[in-house]
Amino acid sequence: MADQTGHPGQWTGCAVIFLQSLCPAVDLLSLYKDREQGKFIVFKVIKLTLTDSAGGLGGYEILKVHEADPFLGVEVKFEDAAACQQFLESYSSGAVRESLCQHAGRLLALTQEITVETQLKASTHILDLCLDKLELCLQHIHLSKPERLRDEEIERLEQLLQSQALGPIAQDEGPVPSNCFKFQNKVLEDRMLTAADVQSFSNGVGRHWKLVGRALGKSCRALKSPAIDNLAYEYEREGLYEQAYQLLNRFIQAEGRAAKLSQLVRALEDCKLTSLAENILDIQPRE
């Protein structure tokens, strides 16, 4: 495993994720097939979910989204063993399904909670049957080589997604309003951190959660030393997701209404985790 993950770009593999909504009001397959806006929203849900679960925007690409009635099939090429392993860990823990439901509920503006059924395959292997053996799953994906280049429709949807930007509230160079903050030369509205923010952070920050915790600890007494080391020890068995989740929850509990999005974004910038900040803000990265 160490040899595989140590050489990004020299490792490839392919997997297909099958998705089906169990909510009668939402048919992911029909949305993707029948309506242009629906197609774009479903693609964006998939893209955000992969970004959450693979630890960022790199290490994978979507090759094709196809009909596999009653499922929607998503063919993914992994280009880095570490990203693939992180995705498998997220899938095994249920975080992929939770992320899908979260993004679908938000982007489709649903009034009821959505439940999504998933299946993961590599060639003829159903990986859901051996998720307790992640190295075996990684091997199956590695041996399943992509049979096609990226579909033209996926290229178009990727370009559309990249061109969609979160519009700045203020364009001038005047002072930033007290209820706003600046990120990548855009002035964005500040707000309290939400459960969705906590999940996106926990899914994406990986082993860097301690660095972010120390950055947040500059203004939060609850995260002063040795609080972060204590969190690492207390939740070591639960893994990186839970450690990051507990860190941000402790920050929110300590700061209350003062736990703002701007503080988290600033901490991520300080730790050179700009791509994760872009993901939480739902901003596509610059090329």
Side-chain angles (χ1 to χ4, degrees):
M1 184 74 71
D3 290 338
Q4 290 175 321
T5 58
H7 298 84
Q10 299 179 8
W11 189 99
T12 61
C14 193
V16 182
I17 313 162
F18 295 93
L19 312 173
Q20 180 187 18
S21 166
L22 301 181
C23 175
V26 179
D27 186 334
L28 296 176
L29 180 58
S30 295
L31 272 173
Y32 192 83
K33 284 170 56 180
D34 298 337
R35 292 171 47 203
E36 184 60 26
Q37 181 63 19
K39 184 188 295 287
F40 176 71
I41 291 175
V42 171
F43 179 78
K44 188 173 182 180
V45 167
I46 295 167
K47 184 75 175 183
L48 290 173
T49 298
L50 283 169
T51 302
D52 286 347
S53 56
L57 290 154
Y60 71 89
E61 66 171 329
I62 300 171
L63 297 180
K64 186 177 180 62
V65 178
H66 60 88
E67 179 179 352
D69 197 10
F71 291 91
L72 188 67
V74 183
E75 186 173 343
V76 181
K77 175 186 176 182
F78 289 97
E79 301 167 323
D80 176 38
C84 186
Q85 183 174 339
Q86 183 159 344
F87 169 79
L88 284 170
E89 290 171 352
S90 297
Y91 187 89
S92 177
S93 70
V96 168
R97 191 179 293 111
E98 289 177 12
S99 187
L100 274 166
C101 295
Q102 169 205 323
H103 291 304
R106 177 172 60 87
L107 293 174
L108 293 169
L110 301 177
T111 57
Q112 58 179 306
E113 191 172 319
I114 182 174
T115 304
V116 177
E117 180 183 352
T118 62
Q119 186 180 83
L120 184 63
K121 293 185 72 175
S123 186
T124 59
H125 300 282
I126 301 174
L127 303 186
D128 302 76
L129 302 178
C130 54
L131 288 174
D132 57 330
K133 301 173 183 176
L134 290 184
E135 290 191 32
L136 178 61
C137 292
L138 196 66
Q139 183 180 10
H140 285 323
I141 291 174
H142 179 46
L143 293 175
S144 177
K145 299 301 180 183
E147 297 179 356
R148 58 171 65 86
L149 298 175
R150 178 186 282 184
D151 192 80
E152 289 183 4
E153 182 176 60
I154 300 302
E155 287 278 8
R156 182 180 63 81
L157 289 169
E158 286 277 11
Q159 290 172 7
L160 184 60
L161 192 57
Q162 288 176 14
S163 68
Q164 183 191 72
L166 187 63
I169 294 173
Q171 300 276 356
D172 57 29
E173 293 299 322
V176 177
S178 60
N179 64 333
C180 299
F181 67 99
K182 202 166 187 178
F183 177 74
Q184 293 184 343
N185 294 321
K186 293 184 175 73
V187 179
L188 308 175
E189 186 175 1
D190 206 0
R191 57 170 172 76
M192 292 175 61
L193 289 168
T194 66
D197 298 327
V198 176
Q199 186 174 47
S200 294
F201 171 78
S202 305
N203 275 320
V205 73
R207 64 177 63 89
H208 303 298
W209 70 270
K210 282 187 177 183
L211 289 176
V212 180
R214 293 189 182 101
L216 289 172
K218 293 176 183 177
S219 62
C220 177
R221 295 182 64 182
L223 296 181
K224 298 291 184 186
S225 183
I228 294 173
D229 289 333
N230 290 341
L231 279 173
Y233 177 77
E234 187 175 352
Y235 296 98
E236 181 180 10
R237 290 188 177 182
E238 283 79 2
L240 294 174
Y241 174 90
E242 188 63 25
Q243 289 170 329
Y245 183 90
Q246 294 296 335
L247 170 80
L248 205 51
N249 260 346
R250 181 162 298 188
F251 173 70
I252 292 171
Q253 290 167 6
E255 297 295 299
R257 298 181 66 84
K260 294 296 184 69
L261 179 63
S262 58
Q263 293 172 279
L264 178 58
V265 170
R266 194 173 299 116
L268 291 171
E269 284 187 291
D270 289 346
C271 299
K272 312 299 183 187
L273 298 172
T274 307
S275 62
L276 180 54
E278 291 170 336
N279 181 39
I280 291 172
L281 293 168
D282 199 10
I283 295 176
Q284 286 302 302
R286 299 171 178 177
E287 289 296 326

